[in-house]
Amino acid sequence: LAKTTQPISMDSYEGQEVNITCSHNNIATNDYITWYQQFPSQGPRFIIQGYKTKVTNEVASLFIPADRKSSTLSLPRVSLSDTAVYYCLVGDMGSSNTGKLIFGQGTTLQVKP
Amino acid sequence: NAGVTQTPKFQVLKTGQSMTLQCAQDMNHNSMYWYRQDPGMGLRLIYYSASEGTTDKGEVPNGYNVSRLNKREFSLRLESAAPSQTSVYFCASILTGAGYGYTFGSGTRLTVV
């Protein structure tokens, strides 16, 4: 499984756009990039998944450059409730694979008023 | 409600006691996982089951055993609990290839004294 590197912590203010970048230099051809959000005392929650270019859903956008060695999670106009730990993971999520993911330390995002 | 159900939510054990953590999902997912999360840390994979009838070790399997009872249920057993196993345990499941990521349970908070 490809190792990921992301900042340990980030601060932002309400209403700002937040971009969290993740490095995954050893990503394999079949690997997908997935981001999760975790609040204290809760299990992680799936945010977004992508393979290449840009993916957008109602919560976030995921930008993946052509070489796929990094990715950026973009959270538009954050609020205090977006304060959480964000995990970037890389793994083969195809239907014939195990779907196994190894979590790193994640990025603790603190949104201030 | 559809999702991943873990029982119990809280448990205190004495060193050397045994117990089984239960996990069940009703989403027809094929793969299931057990993670542990120590305070201030990311999640570490204990065991996983890519399909009914198969189980494999993750990053930290020592001291644990698992059973994939059927497609819905995946249990984690501590045969002789140790204080180092004090942690929050999360069960997760996924339908690989579907593109929606893991669904996590709410966790079991285990303290071994």
Side-chain angles (χ1 to χ4, degrees):
Chain A
L1 295 173
K3 179 178 170 60
T4 61
T5 302
Q6 51 185 123
I8 295 295
S9 63
M10 294 181 68
D11 289 338
S12 183
Y13 290 92
E14 282 191 292
Q16 289 188 333
E17 178 185 73
V18 171
N19 295 309
I20 306 174
T21 297
C22 178
S23 172
H24 28 80
N25 291 318
N26 296 322
I27 189 168
T29 302
N30 294 332
D31 285 346
Y32 285 74
I33 300 154
T34 312
W35 285 80
Y36 288 82
Q37 175 192 55
Q38 186 179 27
F39 298 113
S41 301
Q42 295 185 24
R45 181 176 73 101
F46 171 81
I47 301 175
I48 197 165
Q49 180 174 293
Y51 183 80
K52 61 181 179 181
T53 62
K54 176 184 175 183
V55 180
T56 297
N57 61 23
E58 64 277 7
V59 177
S61 294
L62 179 59
F63 298 92
I64 306 168
D67 67 5
R68 302 199 329 122
K69 293 183 183 298
S70 66
S71 59
T72 299
L73 175 73
S74 182
L75 304 172
R77 298 181 297 282
V78 294
S79 64
L80 296 177
S81 62
D82 292 314
T83 293
V85 179
Y86 292 82
Y87 295 98
C88 164
L89 298 103
V90 171
D92 187 343
M93 307 308 289
S95 59
S96 61
N97 205 277
T98 66
K100 180 176 72 172
L101 292 175
I102 302 298
F103 282 74
Q105 287 279 75
T107 297
T108 299
L109 173 65
Q110 180 70 51
V111 179
K112 302 175 182 178
Chain B
N1 294 331
V4 177
T5 303
Q6 290 185 236
T7 56
K9 293 189 184 304
F10 301 93
Q11 183 72 49
V12 178
L13 289 179
K14 293 182 179 179
T15 298
Q17 286 186 317
S18 62
M19 79 162 295
T20 299
L21 282 64
Q22 306 287 353
C23 175
Q25 54 90 9
D26 58 3
M27 298 170 287
N28 202 34
H29 286 175
N30 58 301
S31 296
M32 299 184 72
Y33 313 83
W34 276 105
Y35 288 89
R36 61 177 286 178
Q37 186 171 35
D38 299 332
M41 305 290 288
L43 287 81
R44 290 185 291 171
L45 181 63
I46 306 171
Y47 270 94
Y48 65 100
S49 170
S51 62
E52 184 179 354
T54 68
T55 60
D56 284 287
K57 295 178 180 179
E59 303 171 89
V60 289
N62 291 343
Y64 305 96
N65 284 299
V66 291
S67 296
R68 183 74 181 268
L69 305 171
N70 47 55
K71 191 170 186 178
R72 293 185 62 249
E73 299 172 289
F74 188 39
S75 62
L76 178 71
R77 183 162 178 82
L78 287 70
E79 291 291 351
S80 179
S84 60
Q85 294 179 303
T86 293
S87 190
V88 180
Y89 291 84
F90 290 105
C91 177
S93 70
I94 189 173
L95 179 62
T96 52
Y100 295 110
Y102 287 3
T103 299
F104 278 85
S106 57
T108 294
R109 188 173 297 275
L110 174 67
T111 301
V112 183
V113 298

PDB file of all heavy atoms in Angstrom, chain B residues 8-36:
ATOM      1  N   PRO B   8     -20.144  -4.478  22.543  1.00  0.00           N
ATOM      2  CA  PRO B   8     -20.794  -3.391  23.294  1.00  0.00           C
ATOM      3  C   PRO B   8     -20.187  -2.039  22.938  1.00  0.00           C
ATOM      4  O   PRO B   8     -19.222  -1.966  22.183  1.00  0.00           O
ATOM      5  CB  PRO B   8     -20.459  -3.763  24.740  1.00  0.00           C
ATOM      6  CG  PRO B   8     -19.097  -4.388  24.642  1.00  0.00           C
ATOM      7  CD  PRO B   8     -19.105  -5.169  23.353  1.00  0.00           C
ATOM      8  N   LYS B   9     -20.724  -0.971  23.479  1.00  0.00           N
ATOM      9  CA  LYS B   9     -20.159   0.361  23.271  1.00  0.00           C
ATOM     10  C   LYS B   9     -19.028   0.649  24.247  1.00  0.00           C
ATOM     11  O   LYS B   9     -18.089   1.390  23.941  1.00  0.00           O
ATOM     12  CB  LYS B   9     -21.243   1.422  23.400  1.00  0.00           C
ATOM     13  CG  LYS B   9     -22.285   1.362  22.305  1.00  0.00           C
ATOM     14  CD  LYS B   9     -23.199   2.554  22.344  1.00  0.00           C
ATOM     15  CE  LYS B   9     -24.300   2.443  21.305  1.00  0.00           C
ATOM     16  NZ  LYS B   9     -23.760   2.270  19.941  1.00  0.00           N
ATOM     17  N   PHE B  10     -19.134   0.111  25.436  1.00  0.00           N
ATOM     18  CA  PHE B  10     -18.117   0.302  26.475  1.00  0.00           C
ATOM     19  C   PHE B  10     -17.871  -1.041  27.161  1.00  0.00           C
ATOM     20  O   PHE B  10     -18.795  -1.833  27.321  1.00  0.00           O
ATOM     21  CB  PHE B  10     -18.560   1.327  27.519  1.00  0.00           C
ATOM     22  CG  PHE B  10     -18.862   2.679  26.977  1.00  0.00           C
ATOM     23  CD1 PHE B  10     -20.159   3.020  26.621  1.00  0.00           C
ATOM     24  CD2 PHE B  10     -17.857   3.613  26.815  1.00  0.00           C
ATOM     25  CE1 PHE B  10     -20.446   4.279  26.119  1.00  0.00           C
ATOM     26  CE2 PHE B  10     -18.142   4.873  26.312  1.00  0.00           C
ATOM     27  CZ  PHE B  10     -19.431   5.200  25.962  1.00  0.00           C
ATOM     28  N   GLN B  11     -16.628  -1.258  27.596  1.00  0.00           N
ATOM     29  CA  GLN B  11     -16.300  -2.478  28.322  1.00  0.00           C
ATOM     30  C   GLN B  11     -15.051  -2.252  29.152  1.00  0.00           C
ATOM     31  O   GLN B  11     -14.091  -1.642  28.664  1.00  0.00           O
ATOM     32  CB  GLN B  11     -16.076  -3.640  27.359  1.00  0.00           C
ATOM     33  CG  GLN B  11     -15.810  -4.969  28.020  1.00  0.00           C
ATOM     34  CD  GLN B  11     -17.058  -5.540  28.664  1.00  0.00           C
ATOM     35  OE1 GLN B  11     -18.117  -5.609  28.068  1.00  0.00           O
ATOM     36  NE2 GLN B  11     -16.920  -5.953  29.916  1.00  0.00           N
ATOM     37  N   VAL B  12     -15.095  -2.743  30.388  1.00  0.00           N
ATOM     38  CA  VAL B  12     -13.914  -2.741  31.239  1.00  0.00           C
ATOM     39  C   VAL B  12     -13.564  -4.197  31.533  1.00  0.00           C
ATOM     40  O   VAL B  12     -14.421  -4.967  31.971  1.00  0.00           O
ATOM     41  CB  VAL B  12     -14.147  -1.982  32.558  1.00  0.00           C
ATOM     42  CG1 VAL B  12     -12.895  -2.053  33.429  1.00  0.00           C
ATOM     43  CG2 VAL B  12     -14.516  -0.534  32.282  1.00  0.00           C
ATOM     44  N   LEU B  13     -12.336  -4.573  31.287  1.00  0.00           N
ATOM     45  CA  LEU B  13     -11.870  -5.930  31.536  1.00  0.00           C
ATOM     46  C   LEU B  13     -10.717  -5.915  32.516  1.00  0.00           C
ATOM     47  O   LEU B  13      -9.956  -4.931  32.587  1.00  0.00           O
ATOM     48  CB  LEU B  13     -11.373  -6.575  30.237  1.00  0.00           C
ATOM     49  CG  LEU B  13     -12.361  -6.967  29.162  1.00  0.00           C
ATOM     50  CD1 LEU B  13     -11.622  -7.561  27.969  1.00  0.00           C
ATOM     51  CD2 LEU B  13     -13.383  -7.966  29.689  1.00  0.00           C
ATOM     52  N   LYS B  14     -10.564  -7.013  33.206  1.00  0.00           N
ATOM     53  CA  LYS B  14      -9.369  -7.190  34.015  1.00  0.00           C
ATOM     54  C   LYS B  14      -8.308  -7.894  33.171  1.00  0.00           C
ATOM     55  O   LYS B  14      -8.638  -8.679  32.261  1.00  0.00           O
ATOM     56  CB  LYS B  14      -9.691  -8.010  35.260  1.00  0.00           C
ATOM     57  CG  LYS B  14     -10.620  -7.296  36.244  1.00  0.00           C
ATOM     58  CD  LYS B  14     -10.851  -8.147  37.479  1.00  0.00           C
ATOM     59  CE  LYS B  14     -11.771  -7.409  38.453  1.00  0.00           C
ATOM     60  NZ  LYS B  14     -12.037  -8.224  39.671  1.00  0.00           N
ATOM     61  N   THR B  15      -7.073  -7.640  33.462  1.00  0.00           N
ATOM     62  CA  THR B  15      -5.981  -8.307  32.747  1.00  0.00           C
ATOM     63  C   THR B  15      -6.178  -9.815  32.781  1.00  0.00           C
ATOM     64  O   THR B  15      -6.433 -10.392  33.847  1.00  0.00           O
ATOM     65  CB  THR B  15      -4.633  -7.930  33.369  1.00  0.00           C
ATOM     66  OG1 THR B  15      -4.453  -6.507  33.237  1.00  0.00           O
ATOM     67  CG2 THR B  15      -3.499  -8.644  32.665  1.00  0.00           C
ATOM     68  N   GLY B  16      -6.071 -10.432  31.599  1.00  0.00           N
ATOM     69  CA  GLY B  16      -6.214 -11.875  31.499  1.00  0.00           C
ATOM     70  C   GLY B  16      -7.607 -12.342  31.119  1.00  0.00           C
ATOM     71  O   GLY B  16      -7.779 -13.492  30.704  1.00  0.00           O
ATOM     72  N   GLN B  17      -8.605 -11.491  31.251  1.00  0.00           N
ATOM     73  CA  GLN B  17      -9.954 -11.869  30.856  1.00  0.00           C
ATOM     74  C   GLN B  17     -10.070 -11.896  29.334  1.00  0.00           C
ATOM     75  O   GLN B  17      -9.269 -11.290  28.621  1.00  0.00           O
ATOM     76  CB  GLN B  17     -10.987 -10.895  31.438  1.00  0.00           C
ATOM     77  CG  GLN B  17     -11.219 -11.059  32.928  1.00  0.00           C
ATOM     78  CD  GLN B  17     -12.345 -10.177  33.431  1.00  0.00           C
ATOM     79  OE1 GLN B  17     -12.467  -9.005  33.060  1.00  0.00           O
ATOM     80  NE2 GLN B  17     -13.177 -10.733  34.311  1.00  0.00           N
ATOM     81  N   SER B  18     -11.088 -12.584  28.872  1.00  0.00           N
ATOM     82  CA  SER B  18     -11.325 -12.645  27.437  1.00  0.00           C
ATOM     83  C   SER B  18     -12.673 -12.011  27.115  1.00  0.00           C
ATOM     84  O   SER B  18     -13.544 -11.892  27.990  1.00  0.00           O
ATOM     85  CB  SER B  18     -11.317 -14.098  26.948  1.00  0.00           C
ATOM     86  OG  SER B  18     -12.359 -14.823  27.573  1.00  0.00           O
ATOM     87  N   MET B  19     -12.819 -11.579  25.876  1.00  0.00           N
ATOM     88  CA  MET B  19     -14.101 -11.057  25.429  1.00  0.00           C
ATOM     89  C   MET B  19     -14.138 -11.015  23.907  1.00  0.00           C
ATOM     90  O   MET B  19     -13.078 -11.074  23.249  1.00  0.00           O
ATOM     91  CB  MET B  19     -14.367  -9.656  25.981  1.00  0.00           C
ATOM     92  CG  MET B  19     -13.657  -8.532  25.271  1.00  0.00           C
ATOM     93  SD  MET B  19     -14.394  -6.921  25.600  1.00  0.00           S
ATOM     94  CE  MET B  19     -16.013  -7.085  24.865  1.00  0.00           C
ATOM     95  N   THR B  20     -15.338 -10.923  23.384  1.00  0.00           N
ATOM     96  CA  THR B  20     -15.546 -10.833  21.941  1.00  0.00           C
ATOM     97  C   THR B  20     -16.299  -9.554  21.622  1.00  0.00           C
ATOM     98  O   THR B  20     -17.339  -9.277  22.222  1.00  0.00           O
ATOM     99  CB  THR B  20     -16.337 -12.045  21.423  1.00  0.00           C
ATOM    100  OG1 THR B  20     -15.602 -13.243  21.697  1.00  0.00           O
ATOM    101  CG2 THR B  20     -16.564 -11.926  19.924  1.00  0.00           C
ATOM    102  N   LEU B  21     -15.754  -8.791  20.697  1.00  0.00           N
ATOM    103  CA  LEU B  21     -16.432  -7.611  20.180  1.00  0.00           C
ATOM    104  C   LEU B  21     -17.212  -8.022  18.937  1.00  0.00           C
ATOM    105  O   LEU B  21     -16.664  -8.676  18.042  1.00  0.00           O
ATOM    106  CB  LEU B  21     -15.425  -6.514  19.824  1.00  0.00           C
ATOM    107  CG  LEU B  21     -14.832  -5.673  20.955  1.00  0.00           C
ATOM    108  CD1 LEU B  21     -13.996  -6.541  21.890  1.00  0.00           C
ATOM    109  CD2 LEU B  21     -13.979  -4.549  20.397  1.00  0.00           C
ATOM    110  N   GLN B  22     -18.462  -7.596  18.891  1.00  0.00           N
ATOM    111  CA  GLN B  22     -19.329  -7.992  17.797  1.00  0.00           C
ATOM    112  C   GLN B  22     -19.497  -6.851  16.799  1.00  0.00           C
ATOM    113  O   GLN B  22     -19.527  -5.672  17.182  1.00  0.00           O
ATOM    114  CB  GLN B  22     -20.708  -8.390  18.335  1.00  0.00           C
ATOM    115  CG  GLN B  22     -20.699  -9.444  19.425  1.00  0.00           C
ATOM    116  CD  GLN B  22     -20.376 -10.835  18.894  1.00  0.00           C
ATOM    117  OE1 GLN B  22     -20.285 -11.053  17.697  1.00  0.00           O
ATOM    118  NE2 GLN B  22     -20.176 -11.781  19.802  1.00  0.00           N
ATOM    119  N   CYS B  23     -19.592  -7.213  15.542  1.00  0.00           N
ATOM    120  CA  CYS B  23     -19.822  -6.236  14.482  1.00  0.00           C
ATOM    121  C   CYS B  23     -20.753  -6.854  13.445  1.00  0.00           C
ATOM    122  O   CYS B  23     -20.526  -8.003  13.029  1.00  0.00           O
ATOM    123  CB  CYS B  23     -18.512  -5.830  13.826  1.00  0.00           C
ATOM    124  SG  CYS B  23     -18.706  -4.732  12.402  1.00  0.00           S
ATOM    125  N   ALA B  24     -21.756  -6.108  13.043  1.00  0.00           N
ATOM    126  CA  ALA B  24     -22.679  -6.579  12.014  1.00  0.00           C
ATOM    127  C   ALA B  24     -23.027  -5.433  11.077  1.00  0.00           C
ATOM    128  O   ALA B  24     -23.215  -4.298  11.514  1.00  0.00           O
ATOM    129  CB  ALA B  24     -23.944  -7.138  12.657  1.00  0.00           C
ATOM    130  N   GLN B  25     -23.121  -5.748   9.791  1.00  0.00           N
ATOM    131  CA  GLN B  25     -23.529  -4.755   8.794  1.00  0.00           C
ATOM    132  C   GLN B  25     -24.673  -5.315   7.968  1.00  0.00           C
ATOM    133  O   GLN B  25     -24.730  -6.519   7.710  1.00  0.00           O
ATOM    134  CB  GLN B  25     -22.338  -4.338   7.913  1.00  0.00           C
ATOM    135  CG  GLN B  25     -21.601  -5.487   7.243  1.00  0.00           C
ATOM    136  CD  GLN B  25     -22.117  -5.875   5.879  1.00  0.00           C
ATOM    137  OE1 GLN B  25     -22.955  -5.202   5.279  1.00  0.00           O
ATOM    138  NE2 GLN B  25     -21.594  -6.993   5.354  1.00  0.00           N
ATOM    139  N   ASP B  26     -25.565  -4.404   7.559  1.00  0.00           N
ATOM    140  CA  ASP B  26     -26.739  -4.831   6.799  1.00  0.00           C
ATOM    141  C   ASP B  26     -26.783  -4.190   5.426  1.00  0.00           C
ATOM    142  O   ASP B  26     -27.863  -3.944   4.873  1.00  0.00           O
ATOM    143  CB  ASP B  26     -28.013  -4.528   7.589  1.00  0.00           C
ATOM    144  CG  ASP B  26     -28.140  -3.055   7.937  1.00  0.00           C
ATOM    145  OD1 ASP B  26     -27.271  -2.265   7.513  1.00  0.00           O
ATOM    146  OD2 ASP B  26     -29.105  -2.698   8.633  1.00  0.00           O
ATOM    147  N   MET B  27     -25.617  -3.900   4.871  1.00  0.00           N
ATOM    148  CA  MET B  27     -25.534  -3.219   3.583  1.00  0.00           C
ATOM    149  C   MET B  27     -25.065  -4.151   2.468  1.00  0.00           C
ATOM    150  O   MET B  27     -24.733  -3.687   1.372  1.00  0.00           O
ATOM    151  CB  MET B  27     -24.569  -2.021   3.711  1.00  0.00           C
ATOM    152  CG  MET B  27     -25.065  -0.992   4.712  1.00  0.00           C
ATOM    153  SD  MET B  27     -23.834   0.256   5.098  1.00  0.00           S
ATOM    154  CE  MET B  27     -22.711  -0.706   6.109  1.00  0.00           C
ATOM    155  N   ASN B  28     -24.984  -5.446   2.756  1.00  0.00           N
ATOM    156  CA  ASN B  28     -24.530  -6.434   1.779  1.00  0.00           C
ATOM    157  C   ASN B  28     -23.092  -6.153   1.309  1.00  0.00           C
ATOM    158  O   ASN B  28     -22.751  -6.443   0.156  1.00  0.00           O
ATOM    159  CB  ASN B  28     -25.477  -6.488   0.576  1.00  0.00           C
ATOM    160  CG  ASN B  28     -25.371  -7.817  -0.160  1.00  0.00           C
ATOM    161  OD1 ASN B  28     -25.151  -8.861   0.445  1.00  0.00           O
ATOM    162  ND2 ASN B  28     -25.509  -7.777  -1.471  1.00  0.00           N
ATOM    163  N   HIS B  29     -22.294  -5.593   2.212  1.00  0.00           N
ATOM    164  CA  HIS B  29     -20.894  -5.341   1.882  1.00  0.00           C
ATOM    165  C   HIS B  29     -20.109  -6.651   1.897  1.00  0.00           C
ATOM    166  O   HIS B  29     -20.395  -7.553   2.688  1.00  0.00           O
ATOM    167  CB  HIS B  29     -20.279  -4.358   2.875  1.00  0.00           C
ATOM    168  CG  HIS B  29     -20.746  -2.957   2.661  1.00  0.00           C
ATOM    169  ND1 HIS B  29     -20.391  -1.923   3.516  1.00  0.00           N
ATOM    170  CD2 HIS B  29     -21.518  -2.406   1.689  1.00  0.00           C
ATOM    171  CE1 HIS B  29     -20.918  -0.787   3.074  1.00  0.00           C
ATOM    172  NE2 HIS B  29     -21.616  -1.070   1.974  1.00  0.00           N
ATOM    173  N   ASN B  30     -19.090  -6.736   1.056  1.00  0.00           N
ATOM    174  CA  ASN B  30     -18.304  -7.961   1.006  1.00  0.00           C
ATOM    175  C   ASN B  30     -17.112  -7.948   1.971  1.00  0.00           C
ATOM    176  O   ASN B  30     -16.733  -8.979   2.514  1.00  0.00           O
ATOM    177  CB  ASN B  30     -17.807  -8.239  -0.414  1.00  0.00           C
ATOM    178  CG  ASN B  30     -16.960  -7.098  -0.969  1.00  0.00           C
ATOM    179  OD1 ASN B  30     -17.416  -5.962  -1.079  1.00  0.00           O
ATOM    180  ND2 ASN B  30     -15.724  -7.395  -1.309  1.00  0.00           N
ATOM    181  N   SER B  31     -16.510  -6.787   2.190  1.00  0.00           N
ATOM    182  CA  SER B  31     -15.294  -6.715   3.005  1.00  0.00           C
ATOM    183  C   SER B  31     -15.569  -6.039   4.348  1.00  0.00           C
ATOM    184  O   SER B  31     -16.319  -5.067   4.423  1.00  0.00           O
ATOM    185  CB  SER B  31     -14.200  -5.935   2.266  1.00  0.00           C
ATOM    186  OG  SER B  31     -13.807  -6.613   1.088  1.00  0.00           O
ATOM    187  N   MET B  32     -14.907  -6.558   5.388  1.00  0.00           N
ATOM    188  CA  MET B  32     -15.063  -6.004   6.723  1.00  0.00           C
ATOM    189  C   MET B  32     -13.703  -5.912   7.403  1.00  0.00           C
ATOM    190  O   MET B  32     -12.789  -6.675   7.092  1.00  0.00           O
ATOM    191  CB  MET B  32     -16.028  -6.858   7.551  1.00  0.00           C
ATOM    192  CG  MET B  32     -17.431  -6.921   6.946  1.00  0.00           C
ATOM    193  SD  MET B  32     -18.628  -7.814   7.944  1.00  0.00           S
ATOM    194  CE  MET B  32     -18.894  -6.667   9.305  1.00  0.00           C
ATOM    195  N   TYR B  33     -13.583  -4.965   8.347  1.00  0.00           N
ATOM    196  CA  TYR B  33     -12.290  -4.634   8.931  1.00  0.00           C
ATOM    197  C   TYR B  33     -12.437  -4.327  10.420  1.00  0.00           C
ATOM    198  O   TYR B  33     -13.460  -3.810  10.851  1.00  0.00           O
ATOM    199  CB  TYR B  33     -11.692  -3.396   8.243  1.00  0.00           C
ATOM    200  CG  TYR B  33     -11.756  -3.454   6.737  1.00  0.00           C
ATOM    201  CD1 TYR B  33     -12.905  -3.076   6.063  1.00  0.00           C
ATOM    202  CD2 TYR B  33     -10.669  -3.909   5.992  1.00  0.00           C
ATOM    203  CE1 TYR B  33     -12.984  -3.151   4.681  1.00  0.00           C
ATOM    204  CE2 TYR B  33     -10.739  -3.984   4.602  1.00  0.00           C
ATOM    205  CZ  TYR B  33     -11.899  -3.602   3.964  1.00  0.00           C
ATOM    206  OH  TYR B  33     -11.974  -3.685   2.602  1.00  0.00           O
ATOM    207  N   TRP B  34     -11.378  -4.590  11.162  1.00  0.00           N
ATOM    208  CA  TRP B  34     -11.279  -4.157  12.547  1.00  0.00           C
ATOM    209  C   TRP B  34     -10.050  -3.253  12.685  1.00  0.00           C
ATOM    210  O   TRP B  34      -8.941  -3.634  12.309  1.00  0.00           O
ATOM    211  CB  TRP B  34     -11.143  -5.337  13.510  1.00  0.00           C
ATOM    212  CG  TRP B  34     -12.442  -5.951  13.883  1.00  0.00           C
ATOM    213  CD1 TRP B  34     -12.957  -7.128  13.443  1.00  0.00           C
ATOM    214  CD2 TRP B  34     -13.397  -5.424  14.804  1.00  0.00           C
ATOM    215  NE1 TRP B  34     -14.177  -7.369  14.027  1.00  0.00           N
ATOM    216  CE2 TRP B  34     -14.473  -6.336  14.866  1.00  0.00           C
ATOM    217  CE3 TRP B  34     -13.454  -4.269  15.591  1.00  0.00           C
ATOM    218  CZ2 TRP B  34     -15.587  -6.130  15.669  1.00  0.00           C
ATOM    219  CZ3 TRP B  34     -14.557  -4.064  16.390  1.00  0.00           C
ATOM    220  CH2 TRP B  34     -15.606  -4.989  16.432  1.00  0.00           C
ATOM    221  N   TYR B  35     -10.292  -2.053  13.245  1.00  0.00           N
ATOM    222  CA  TYR B  35      -9.219  -1.104  13.538  1.00  0.00           C
ATOM    223  C   TYR B  35      -9.226  -0.796  15.029  1.00  0.00           C
ATOM    224  O   TYR B  35     -10.247  -0.869  15.679  1.00  0.00           O
ATOM    225  CB  TYR B  35      -9.442   0.219  12.794  1.00  0.00           C
ATOM    226  CG  TYR B  35      -9.207   0.168  11.302  1.00  0.00           C
ATOM    227  CD1 TYR B  35     -10.228  -0.171  10.428  1.00  0.00           C
ATOM    228  CD2 TYR B  35      -7.966   0.497  10.761  1.00  0.00           C
ATOM    229  CE1 TYR B  35     -10.015  -0.196   9.053  1.00  0.00           C
ATOM    230  CE2 TYR B  35      -7.736   0.478   9.390  1.00  0.00           C
ATOM    231  CZ  TYR B  35      -8.767   0.130   8.552  1.00  0.00           C
ATOM    232  OH  TYR B  35      -8.559   0.112   7.190  1.00  0.00           O
ATOM    233  N   ARG B  36      -8.075  -0.379  15.528  1.00  0.00           N
ATOM    234  CA  ARG B  36      -8.005   0.169  16.864  1.00  0.00           C
ATOM    235  C   ARG B  36      -7.431   1.582  16.775  1.00  0.00           C
ATOM    236  O   ARG B  36      -6.622   1.885  15.893  1.00  0.00           O
ATOM    237  CB  ARG B  36      -7.162  -0.682  17.806  1.00  0.00           C
ATOM    238  CG  ARG B  36      -5.714  -0.854  17.422  1.00  0.00           C
ATOM    239  CD  ARG B  36      -4.954  -1.651  18.478  1.00  0.00           C
ATOM    240  NE  ARG B  36      -4.698  -0.835  19.680  1.00  0.00           N
ATOM    241  CZ  ARG B  36      -4.096  -1.280  20.772  1.00  0.00           C
ATOM    242  NH1 ARG B  36      -3.697  -2.549  20.842  1.00  0.00           N
ATOM    243  NH2 ARG B  36      -3.896  -0.489  21.807  1.00  0.00           N
TER     244      ARG B  36
END
